[in-house]
Structures are given as structure tokens and as C-alpha cells.
Amino acid sequence: MADFTLHDKTTDNDERRATLATVEENYGFIPNLFAGLAEAPATVRGYMALSKEVGQSSFSPTERHVAWFAVNYFHNCHYCMPAHAAMAKMEKIDDAVIEAARSGGGYNNKHLQILHDFVTEMTAHRGNIDEKRIDQFLDAGFTRQHVLEIVLIIAHKTISNYANHLLQTPVDDRFAAFAWQKDALRR
């Protein structure tokens, strides 16, 4: 297994140091995901750009978290599930939504369940979704814009999910209270 470095502000590379300084400015600390991604500063910058765009999408904060969690759960990301639980708590997302997400769905809200199921299906089928299924999603009150923003969210989370698998990223202490492990691994 490749042994990746978790970089910090003392790294011996100017581009990495500058990138990590930007991360720290934006987040108030350097999460371990970014410390590992700093091996490839362009990946950090790309991930941060996608983060910003997802935050400006037409999804509500709760919907955005449901979509993020669906991708994280599907990819079995040991790091992103607790990180997003902590973020959701900070954004005051309902605890029932967070718990449903961490268990793989089962929302008490039909709208959120439809979103979860569609995001999971898009992720599992790599966007190869039957036209009827898209129409059902639209008939549930979502828009074509939402469909394409789901592609953005999947791209965003795929970067972190795959990187965390490769890096075996340790969960930050700030997220440890939300440690997570899926019952049955998909590997």
C-alpha cells in the first residue's frame, strides 16, 4: 500500500504550503482530508472550488446534506460520513435527517427520501438513468437544474471519497464523536 503523507504548514513545498494556508483560512484548521490531498495541490483547489459551487446550488442546506450523505454512504467513506455529520450539526440540520443519512436512508420525509434514492441511483449507475426515472424525480417537485446539480455533488464527493480510501485518512478529532462504519462493506 502506498504511504501518503499528511502535509502541514511546514511541508517542504511552496505550492503545498500556500494551498494549506488557503485551506486553514477557509476552514479555521487543516482537516486531514486536505492534509492528504495537499500531495496534489491542484486536487485541493479543485475540491474547494466544487465545494463552493455546491454551496451555491439550488438545494436547501438539508437537501444538500442528504445528497452528500447519499454519495458518502454509497462509497462507504469512513472519513466523510463523520465530517459531514459534524458539518450538518453546525448547520443545525435536524438530528433525524442526520441519523437517517448515517443509516443509509429511511427518511420520514418523502421529499428527502426521493432525493436520497435518486442520488444513490445516479451514483450507482454512473448517471445512466432511465428517462422514466428522471421524469419521476421531476414529478416529485425537483427540477432539471437539480438533476445536473446532483452530478456536481457526486463529482465533489467522489473526489473526497476516493481520496480518503487511498489515503486511509484518519478522522480528525473534531469529527471523532461522529465516527461511522457501515455494517457491511461494499468492497
Side-chain angles (χ1 to χ4, degrees), residues 33-71:
L33 166 63
F34 293 103
L37 284 180
E39 187 70 30
T43 305
V44 173
R45 292 188 301 271
Y47 183 77
M48 289 177 65
L50 288 177
S51 294
K52 181 180 177 185
E53 295 301 324
V54 171
Q56 295 175 1
S57 72
S58 63
F59 286 111
S60 71
T62 297
E63 291 168 335
R64 185 176 63 246
H65 280 283
V66 167
W68 273 331
F69 275 122
V71 179

Side-chain angles (χ1 to χ4, degrees), residues 5-62:
T5 300
L6 294 181
H7 295 275
D8 60 27
K9 295 183 295 187
T10 66
T11 189
D12 63 354
N13 178 291
D14 290 341
E15 185 180 15
R16 287 186 188 120
R17 270 195 310 278
T19 301
L20 290 173
T22 300
V23 168
E24 189 171 38
E25 281 176 31
N26 287 327
Y27 294 93
F29 77 112
I30 300 171
N32 287 335
L33 166 63
F34 293 103
L37 284 180
E39 187 70 30
T43 305
V44 173
R45 292 188 301 271
Y47 183 77
M48 289 177 65
L50 288 177
S51 294
K52 181 180 177 185
E53 295 301 324
V54 171
Q56 295 175 1
S57 72
S58 63
F59 286 111
S60 71
T62 297

Side-chain angles (χ1 to χ4, degrees), residues 94-167:
D94 188 292
D95 287 341
V97 170
I98 296 169
E99 286 311 309
R102 289 169 56 87
S103 65
Y107 294 92
N108 291 330
N109 176 306
K110 184 177 179 183
H111 179 80
L112 296 179
Q113 188 65 51
I114 289 168
L115 174 61
H116 168 271
D117 293 349
F118 191 77
V119 171
T120 300
E121 191 172 342
M122 285 277 289
T123 305
H125 297 286
R126 296 177 204 83
N128 292 303
I129 301 298
D130 183 84
E131 203 170 306
K132 277 183 158 178
R133 184 65 182 98
I134 295 170
D135 288 341
Q136 290 171 342
F137 184 70
L138 298 174
D139 290 345
F142 291 98
T143 66
R144 286 173 182 77
Q145 180 175 347
H146 286 125
V147 173
L148 294 175
E149 288 175 345
I150 288 169
V151 174
L152 173 68
I153 289 169
I154 293 168
H156 178 238
K157 292 318 319 168
T158 299
I159 291 170
S160 59
N161 295 168
Y162 285 17
N164 286 317
H165 293 316
L166 292 167
L167 299 167

